Amino acid sequence: MKLSKRIQAVQESATIAITSRARQMKDEGIDVVAFGAGEPDFDTPQFIKDAAKAALDAGDTKYTPRSARPLAKAIADKLARENSLNVAPEQVVVTFGGKHALYAAFQALLDEGDGVLIPAPYWVSYPEMVRLAGGRPVILPAGVESGFKITPKQVLDAARGAKILVLNSPSNPTSVTYSPQELADLAQAVLKTDLIVFSDEIYEKLIYGRTKFVSFASLDSRLPDRTITFNGLSKTYSMTGWRLGWAAGPKDAIAAIKRQMSHETTDPVSFAEAGALAAYTDPQAPAFVEKMRAEFERRGQHMAKRLNAIKGVKCVEPTGAFYCFPDVSSHYGRKIGTVEVKSSADFAKAALETARVALVPGDAFGEDKCVRLSFAASMQQIDKGLDRIQQMLA
Ligand SMILES: Cc1ncc(COP(=O)(O)O)c(C=O)c1O
């Protein structure tokens, strides 16, 4: 069948591809250590499941006019309480995951050829989503040498002809978090331009050490009119399979996303929303989030320390999210097993074939020197996988 040019230009998500390959190997009985997935290995808390079950039992199984539902208000309350952002419930749209919120927003805002500034390393889906919406990804390099952070000058230099700047702090894949001052400096640069900012804050609660999280839109009173804040339930409450995310921002942009969704998906699953409401309102929620955060902090420190002890591997200690993104490029030029390693894709292939460890090549994120390992895995799995990589690189 002849596919559209639009879809032919789009790559499958590398993270999903590597996870599928690792799962296939496991199904074949091969003992693979999986560091590919971008999801917490915790179960969804019971009080959230109970709320969804109660909604099902109460017959909350129909289309419902979302204006009548309390989740948007709970999200607006959360933004006021935790993020110093004042938005009305109608300025919030609930979507099928944060990914869907971003996709729908690009569709709603981009015209053919509009530029979107994307700092690299970037989450795999941003450039593809931009292309699917007819936009033009403009990559702002922020590789190993820049500590994975863009500067205000880069924003100013690239702003002409661009419509949107994407920010993602804490970041997937680097786990780097901009400090409040760094974000404030970026905000001042943005305010000298006409850029709209998409602030992807999905890892907001997973921050480590002395890292402080601030919402980009809260940094200047002029920002809420030109920022859309994205977030979701997947990472914070370990609800990846529930497919619930949201966007909050200017009324006209959010209304446009809703208009589009009215033809695309309609609103998210009714009883899943009841679970999300519990996540944002139940007094048990903060203790769950803190337990998971503290565990990820312990694992992230451990993984980074072990990676840095491996010959030729350099890893920045994660300050957020749940990934290590080490520079392994000193091993390029070597033969590992049967693989001549010249790139992150070769390195990941060698790791899977020789060490039976699934990790994601950095070129999928725009940084070919690195590979991504998720530490959303047990300590035992982390040690087992790193023992194998250490041995492979010895
Ligand atoms: C940076 C970033 N944004 C958004 C998402 C979307 O997550 P979800 O669609 O599960 O809410 C992810 C998931 O991996 C992510 O890493």
Side-chain angles (χ1 to χ4, degrees):
M1 206 171 268
K2 191 163 181 330
L3 301 176
S4 70
K5 291 195 187 75
R6 201 177 55 250
I7 201 68
Q8 285 185 59
V10 169
Q11 313 269 334
E12 189 195 358
S13 158
T15 40
I16 292 177
I18 199 101
T19 310
S20 311
R21 175 74 187 117
R23 197 163 294 154
Q24 190 190 353
M25 287 173 75
K26 272 188 181 164
D27 290 347
E28 288 163 11
I30 301 169
D31 175 24
V32 175
V33 178
F35 290 144
E39 63 180 348
D41 57 327
F42 286 70
D43 196 4
T44 303
Q46 192 58 43
F47 69 91
I48 295 177
K49 292 185 190 173
D50 288 344
K53 283 187 206 163
L56 259 180
D57 290 343
D60 189 0
T61 58
K62 299 284 197 293
Y63 296 134
T64 321
R66 288 298 173 246
S67 52
R69 299 181 73 85
L71 181 56
K73 177 164 185 330
I75 292 168
D77 290 347
K78 170 247 178 308
L79 285 167
R81 192 173 64 237
E82 298 180 351
N83 305 85
S84 309
L85 286 176
N86 290 312
V87 299
E90 63 265 33
Q91 289 175 265
V92 175
V93 57
V94 182
T95 57
F96 285 86
K99 187 179 266 186
H100 178 215
L102 283 150
Y103 180 87
F106 282 126
Q107 292 289 334
L109 267 82
L110 288 179
D111 279 319
E112 208 60 34
D114 281 342
V116 178
L117 308 184
I118 304 177
Y122 44 73
W123 179 45
V124 281
S125 293
Y126 298 138
E128 304 299 352
M129 286 177 175
V130 169
R131 283 189 196 102
L132 280 166
R136 186 172 43 87
V138 178
I139 304 303
L140 303 183
V144 175
E145 307 75 20
S146 326
F148 300 129
K149 289 178 182 175
I150 54 161
T151 61
K153 182 169 183 312
Q154 281 178 286
V155 173
L156 290 171
D157 289 349
R160 189 185 291 269
K163 182 162 183 183
I164 296 170
L165 165 68
V166 178
L167 290 177
N168 172 218
S169 174
S171 149
N172 175 8
T174 67
S175 284
V176 156
T177 311
Y178 287 85
S179 72
Q181 187 57 51
E182 286 165 339
L183 277 184
D185 293 345
L186 287 176
Q188 289 315 307
V190 164
L191 288 166
K192 290 187 186 134
T193 71
D194 293 327
L195 286 167
I196 292 164
V197 174
F198 279 16
S199 182
D200 181 349
E201 304 183 356
I202 197 130
Y203 294 101
E204 117 184 85
K205 295 292 181 192
L206 300 177
I207 51 171
Y208 313 124
R210 274 186 244 160
T211 310
K212 280 207 164 52
F213 177 85
V214 284
S215 272
F216 183 78
S218 72
L219 288 165
D220 189 289
S221 60
R222 292 165 291 175
L223 289 171
D225 282 346
R226 52 153 88 198
T227 305
I228 304 184
T229 302
F230 297 87
N231 207 323
L233 285 287
S234 287
K235 317 290 177 178
T236 305
Y237 301 101
S238 201
M239 290 172 68
T240 46
W242 294 61
R243 308 313 302 132
L244 279 170
W246 48 267
K251 229 182 241 172
D252 55 350
I254 298 301
I257 295 171
K258 289 181 183 171
R259 205 155 67 234
Q260 183 193 307
M261 276 177 72
S262 74
H263 298 292
E264 182 193 44
T265 50
T266 310
D267 291 296
V269 178
S270 51
F271 45 88
E273 274 198 26
L277 182 65
Y280 286 124
T281 55
D282 195 294
Q284 299 171 77
F288 167 78
V289 176
E290 175 49 26
K291 185 170 137 230
M292 187 169 69
R293 189 209 64 78
E295 179 59 19
F296 282 147
E297 177 161 33
R298 199 169 74 89
R299 295 181 196 173
Q301 281 173 354
H302 181 69
M303 184 182 258
K305 197 163 145 209
R306 283 217 51 187
L307 282 165
N308 280 320
I310 297 175
K311 194 179 73 185
V313 176
K314 279 181 282 179
C315 182
V316 175
E317 187 162 310
T319 53
F322 39 65
Y323 309 102
C324 280
F325 197 58
D327 179 353
V328 294
S329 59
S330 74
H331 291 282
Y332 297 178
R334 281 183 62 183
K335 188 167 183 187
I336 300 176
T338 58
V339 185
E340 296 279 1
V341 176
K342 296 195 210 77
S343 65
S344 59
D346 296 336
F347 188 94
K349 187 162 181 248
L352 195 56
E353 304 301 332
T354 308
R356 305 284 191 240
V357 174
L359 36 80
V360 189
D363 69 341
F365 308 99
E367 174 52 276
D368 199 35
K369 290 184 175 166
C370 299
V371 290
R372 192 192 77 174
L373 294 82
S374 161
F375 50 84
S378 70
M379 275 293 203
Q380 191 206 7
Q381 284 294 101
I382 290 172
D383 276 329
K384 183 168 159 183
L386 292 179
D387 285 347
R388 291 180 180 188
I389 290 179
Q390 187 154 30
Q391 205 178 353
M392 175 180 95
L393 297 176

